[in-house]
Amino acid sequence: MEEKERRKRSLRERTAQLLDLPADGAAGLPRAELTGDRELYLEHYKGILSYGREEIHVDGGAWVLRVLGRDLELKAMREGELRIVGWVTGLEIL
């Protein structure tokens, strides 16, 4: 990660802490929310690296999230927001 980007992220994280805001939202950090085993909601992701019915790789910036399951489908995809539905059987950070 570039030094300028690292300082920028650090400033956002400190600001969030000072204002008692959730660090992930204020700092633009990736956030994942799994509802049961049927729906995964992601915020602040960078892009989709690979897509299949049993495996999806999502670029989170400093890491890649590997979503494993059955009948996986991109239900909604907007800038910075992603909703995956299907049977989610595993999540791995690579």
Side-chain angles (χ1 to χ4, degrees), residues 7-91:
R7 281 186 279 144
K8 189 175 177 181
R9 178 181 288 179
S10 178
L11 176 62
R12 285 186 281 193
E13 289 170 352
R14 288 193 314 256
T15 302
Q17 187 176 23
L18 258 172
L19 299 174
D20 198 26
L21 298 172
D24 55 351
L29 298 173
R31 179 177 185 272
E33 181 180 317
L34 180 61
T35 305
D37 61 356
R38 298 286 303 187
E39 184 174 62
L40 177 65
Y41 176 72
L42 299 167
E43 291 180 337
H44 308 292
Y45 74 100
K46 305 293 183 195
I48 303 294
L49 300 173
S50 67
Y51 172 74
R53 300 287 289 166
E54 295 180 355
E55 190 171 320
I56 299 174
H57 291 186
V58 181
D59 182 0
W63 46 263
V64 172
L65 178 65
R66 183 171 145 186
V67 182
L68 302 168
R70 293 186 320 269
D71 300 324
L72 298 176
E73 181 180 335
L74 299 177
K75 191 67 172 181
M77 192 165 125
R78 296 180 205 87
E79 186 175 338
E81 295 181 20
L82 175 65
R83 188 172 309 276
I84 298 171
V85 297
W87 294 99
V88 178
T89 59
L91 300 173

